[in-house]
Amino acid sequence: MTRFVVVPQWQGSRSSRAMQLLDGADAIAGDLPRSSCTRIDVPLEAGESVDTGVRRYSALRRIRDLVDAELALHPEPSLVIGGDCGVAVGAVARSAARERDLAVLWLDAHADLHSPDSSPSGAFAGMALRAVLGHGAPGLTLGEAAVPPERAVLGGARDIDPAEEEAIGALGLRMVAAAALSDHDALAAAVSATGAAAVHIHVDLDVLDPTAMSGVTTSVPFGVGVADLVASIARVRASTPLAGASLSGFAPSSPAAAVDDLGAILRIVGALA
């Protein structure tokens, strides 16, 4: 059975709705099997940058330690649920420890490829995929367990800053456009082309079209439909073993409003778990 680790981290987000990520994580947790679910108590303080170029670095570093310690207790694949998408970095680290030849499928409206030097906000969520690839502030990157760029696939991204465009070209990242996910084999083919033995799948809910998901910090038009996303994930899992997964970005406008999106979210959780 999949282990669910809920991490209501908000410190990595630059959004004015960042604190609503706590409500989103708790709303998802409320519909998960309690016996298979662990909630990590995220510190309430914002934290300090400590001259790293990452806002709230000290809090993020502490949370990463908590995530690493919890995931080390479970030999089976886990689904880490945020919170902001910075939680995915620790989740990928655990998957990389379990599977040496790991691919990462990163499904997000944003590229998340900034470095501390290029980021206009210093928000770690915008650096998360770059950290998975081994670049960024000490203690928040994968280091020796970094996933090589040739084994990373970025899917559904459509709001990409110029510095991230440069990084995509320099790193040679595989990309699959949001519109291409109407072909449910497109992601599976891209992951298979990496030659990896297993895959970690990360979903930031803003990869979905705003008509399908309202409770996100930043909606970006022309995204993926729920049915196409779920079917595409199923095809990936049918062709490449799953080493672990993560899901982030649920920020409902209020706890009561969370119910409007939970049906779609639970379909995605089911596909990942």
Side-chain angles (χ1 to χ4, degrees), residues 9 12 83-90 124-125 128 248:
Q9 174 179 289
D84 67 68
C85 63
V87 304
V89 181
F124 183 60
S248 68

Side-chain angles (χ1 to χ4, degrees), residues 108-224:
D108 198 316
H110 307 89
D112 297 346
L113 283 168
H114 276 293
S115 68
D117 291 333
S118 71
S119 173
S121 67
F124 183 60
M127 310 177 197
L129 180 54
R130 193 68 175 266
V132 165
L133 302 179
H135 306 280
L140 295 180
T141 69
L142 261 61
E144 293 182 359
V147 176
E150 60 269 22
R151 293 209 303 265
V153 177
L154 177 60
R158 53 201 185 275
D159 185 3
I160 304 174
D161 292 341
E164 295 176 306
E165 292 277 11
E166 292 180 12
I168 288 168
L171 296 168
L173 287 186
R174 289 180 171 85
M175 296 185 66
V176 179
L181 270 67
S182 59
D183 175 1
H184 299 158
D185 290 319
L187 288 178
V191 172
S192 294
T194 68
V199 63
H200 180 102
I201 302 176
H202 171 66
V203 177
D204 188 314
L205 290 169
D206 65 15
V207 75
L208 294 168
D209 191 79
T211 60
M213 180 64 52
S214 60
V216 296
T217 57
T218 307
S219 293
V220 183
F222 309 112
V224 183

